[in-house]
Amino acid sequence: MAAVATANGLPVLSSQAYLEGKTVWETRTLVADLCRQFYTLGWVSGTGGSITIKVHDDSIPKSDQLIVMSPSGVQKERMIPEDMYVLSSGGDMLSTPCAKPYPHKSPKCSDCASLFMKITHMEMIKGIQGHGYFDELVVPIIENTAYERELTESLSDAISAYPKATAVLVRNHGIYVWGDSWISAKTQAECYHYLFDAAIKLHQLGIDWKIPSHGLIKNESYQSGSKRKFNVYANSGLAVQASVPSRKFIVLDIEGTTTPISFVTEILFPYARDNVRKHLTSTYDSLETKDDIKLLRAQVLDDLEKGIAGSTPIPPDDTGKEEVIESLVVNVEAMIKADRKITALKQLQGHIWRTGYENNELQGVVFDDVPEALERWHASGIKIYIYSSGSREAQRLIFGNTAHGDLRKYLCGFFDTTVGNKREARSYFEISQSVGVDKTSQILFITDVYQEAVAAKAAGLEVILSIRPGNASLPENHEFKTITSFAEI
């Protein structure tokens, strides 16, 4: 049996007993449960954000209680207790989730880890600590950064400037809420969600200031140095009624829908073809490229069995680097020429294009009506996703570096062929399960490909066909609504 030391008369962990005990497991289960519920409520995106809870155990001093943290890059609605990280109170990693079988990526601890803070001397009134019915609620808003760990300084400054605050909003990212227990943090998150949702609905109705006869809501935002302040006054008995469309999600194709086909066929494909040998040679020994080669090997073996034209056997690694690369180049060039919609090719292309964007040799292209539409839909509360045959990384690169700036701030997630073939109804059902809709009809899918439209409709989605310059002709007398610009939606 593990030895247990004591501090102030209470036991302190000195073995695996606490780490593998009932309270830690229950907290792991709770985090997984909350991730699914918060995703369903729309409070967190598919893989973004993190939920962190301190393990409550009266037999362990608070200073020694462990921390359970959800992983990064895992769909919130699919998390299980085994996916969680366990950290010491000082932030040291004690337990990590096991890697899942290929093609799942290795788990990653969220950058939120360095932002975890212990907050004391909080009061609990009307759901929001330190606030009563007639009090003013002040929530600091700070600017987003490239990585969550880089928020530490501005988050600390905001908490110092507003010591009574129990939450901080991060622009185009989300909200950090804390409390003296997971129950109080969850309760406050629900309250903030209600207040912000009410403020947004009233803003959409044109009500931006406190109305003396009702005392509804005051929603004020102003610049103060690098900080902004968001003041909300709410009557808890108020039922705000606003016209909310049944369409809550929009899923967009890229090629021929948000982006000209010519950009893909005349810019991206040739760049990948012309740089595949250079890329494989310079990155051959990296883990990422080894994974790309493994995927290509499996695809080529399958192609050879099916007699796919252009397929060439790839020699084993011990044959030599040059021979392996030569065969890979031949296969990749044949795949690109045939415009194969396969994960092995799309993943490698995404990695090649990333280098092009980083070297300023490539810039993402979208139609001029796209940025305004994305901003408008996002402001109305609609969640926007991308579904393309290109890899998720390639999708992010297109929208992250355009003449209109970084458009990823309007997007909630990306789907590629790992979710399924775009011409199969099952793929769209999988997407609907991932985004968490009550009815598949709440999703609008926009594409230029008739076969994709048919598949999406079969899954119950609303569908619109995109007619853009250079797109293929559509069948006559098809049943779908068409648009030539997102301004029509």
Side-chain angles (χ1 to χ4, degrees):
M1 184 173 179
V4 178
T6 61
N8 299 323
L10 294 173
V12 179
L13 173 72
S14 62
S15 72
Q16 291 289 103
Y18 177 30
L19 183 62
E20 299 175 354
K22 178 182 178 182
T23 54
V24 173
W25 179 256
E26 288 177 344
T27 306
R28 284 171 173 260
T29 304
L30 175 62
V31 174
D33 232 16
L34 291 178
C35 283
R36 286 192 294 271
Q37 292 186 40
F38 287 179
Y39 178 88
T40 302
L41 291 170
W43 295 1
V44 293
S45 60
T47 61
S50 176
I51 295 179
T52 303
I53 295 180
K54 178 168 281 192
V55 179
H56 178 73
D57 189 333
D58 290 331
S59 67
I60 303 295
K62 286 189 176 181
S63 60
D64 294 315
Q65 290 175 353
L66 301 184
I67 299 165
V68 173
M69 177 176 291
S70 62
S72 177
V74 180
Q75 292 291 127
K76 293 290 185 292
E77 75 279 16
R78 296 182 177 181
M79 285 187 182
I80 58 177
E82 290 85 350
D83 289 331
M84 303 303 152
Y85 285 85
V86 181
L87 291 74
S88 70
S89 58
D92 296 323
M93 191 69 66
L94 301 179
S95 175
T96 61
C98 296
K100 295 184 178 181
Y102 183 84
H104 294 282
K105 293 184 177 180
S106 299
K108 175 181 177 291
C109 188
S110 171
D111 284 334
C112 298
S114 59
L115 294 178
F116 181 81
M117 295 184 179
K118 180 181 178 182
I119 307 297
T120 59
H121 303 96
M122 291 287 183
E123 296 179 320
M124 183 68 171
I125 304 174
K126 293 292 274 188
I128 303 294
Q129 291 179 346
H131 293 82
Y133 180 76
F134 296 105
D135 291 334
E136 177 182 85
L137 173 64
V138 180
V139 181
I141 296 180
I142 60 177
E143 298 300 327
N144 201 359
T145 58
Y147 299 97
E148 286 180 286
R149 58 178 175 270
E150 296 173 353
L151 291 170
T152 304
E153 183 176 352
S154 57
L155 183 63
S156 299
D157 290 345
I159 293 173
S160 297
Y162 302 97
K164 292 185 178 180
T166 57
V168 172
L169 277 168
V170 181
R171 189 179 306 283
N172 298 321
H173 175 68
I175 182 171
Y176 289 97
V177 183
W178 58 88
D180 55 11
S181 70
W182 77 265
I183 296 176
S184 81
K186 178 177 181 293
T187 301
Q188 290 182 111
E190 293 168 345
C191 293
Y192 282 118
H193 176 73
Y194 167 80
L195 294 173
F196 295 156
D197 189 51
I200 290 170
K201 288 178 181 177
L202 286 178
H203 177 73
Q204 292 172 345
L205 293 173
I207 305 173
D208 289 324
W209 297 97
K210 180 178 179 180
I211 302 176
S213 61
H214 298 288
L216 304 180
I217 282 183
K218 177 181 178 182
N219 175 6
E220 177 186 2
S221 180
Y222 64 88
Q223 185 72 34
S224 175
S226 62
K227 310 292 187 300
R228 287 182 181 266
K229 191 164 66 174
F230 189 53
N231 303 326
V232 179
Y233 300 82
N235 181 337
S236 61
L238 169 67
V240 179
Q241 298 296 328
S243 177
V244 180
S246 60
R247 180 191 300 156
K248 297 181 179 180
F249 300 82
I250 293 179
V251 177
L252 301 171
D253 175 45
I254 294 181
E255 185 180 353
T257 301
T258 67
T259 299
I261 289 178
S262 59
F263 172 68
V264 179
T265 59
E266 298 174 15
I267 304 295
L268 291 183
F269 284 178
Y271 185 91
R273 182 194 62 227
D274 296 343
N275 287 274
V276 60
R277 186 185 303 274
K278 177 181 177 182
H279 175 81
L280 290 173
T281 300
S282 61
T283 64
Y284 188 79
D285 294 321
S286 69
L287 292 177
E288 182 177 80
T289 297
K290 287 183 181 298
D291 184 57
D292 290 343
I293 294 174
K294 180 180 179 181
L295 207 57
L296 284 166
R297 283 186 183 278
Q299 182 64 55
V300 170
L301 281 175
D302 185 62
D303 290 347
L304 289 169
E305 290 179 1
K306 295 178 179 177
I308 302 296
S311 302
T312 302
I314 301 174
D317 290 335
D318 56 14
T319 304
K321 174 179 176 180
E322 296 302 325
E323 288 78 4
V324 172
I325 291 178
E326 181 61 34
S327 64
L328 287 169
V329 170
V330 171
N331 280 286
V332 169
E333 288 179 345
M335 292 174 179
I336 293 175
K337 184 177 180 179
D339 192 18
R340 301 281 301 279
K341 308 294 185 182
I342 48 178
T343 302
L345 172 64
K346 297 304 180 180
Q347 179 172 297
L348 175 63
Q349 285 178 318
H351 296 152
I352 297 173
W353 291 330
R354 180 181 61 202
T355 301
Y357 285 103
E358 290 174 348
N359 294 338
N360 294 320
E361 296 171 345
L362 293 173
Q363 183 180 50
V365 176
V366 297
F367 292 108
D368 289 338
D369 56 272
V370 171
E372 185 278 332
L374 294 181
E375 182 178 11
R376 173 164 46 85
W377 297 337
H378 182 267
S380 69
I382 294 175
K383 293 186 176 181
I384 310 164
Y385 294 84
I386 301 297
Y387 181 29
S388 172
S389 58
S391 68
R392 292 192 300 171
E393 180 170 22
Q395 297 172 31
R396 289 178 57 82
L397 290 169
I398 289 178
F399 290 96
N401 181 13
T402 76
H404 305 274
D406 189 344
L407 301 179
R408 292 174 299 180
K409 58 188 175 183
Y410 303 123
L411 303 175
C412 293
F414 302 84
F415 296 97
D416 59 15
T417 51
T418 57
V419 80
N421 190 296
K422 294 187 70 181
R423 300 188 179 192
E424 296 179 359
R426 178 68 186 178
S427 305
Y428 299 90
F429 177 75
E430 286 294 325
I431 289 176
S432 70
Q433 292 294 299
S434 294
V435 302
V437 293
D438 296 323
K439 299 178 180 178
T440 54
S441 59
Q442 293 175 322
I443 302 176
L444 167 63
F445 177 55
I446 308 176
T447 180
D448 66 307
V449 180
Y450 174 73
Q451 292 86 347
E452 295 175 4
V454 171
K457 182 181 179 182
L461 279 67
E462 178 187 0
V463 180
I464 293 178
L465 281 170
S466 170
I467 300 178
R468 301 283 196 176
N471 285 11
S473 299
L474 296 170
E476 294 183 4
N477 303 318
H478 64 76
E479 69 273 31
F480 297 104
K481 175 183 176 181
T482 62
I483 58 168
T484 58
S485 168
F486 284 178
E488 300 174 43
I489 302 176

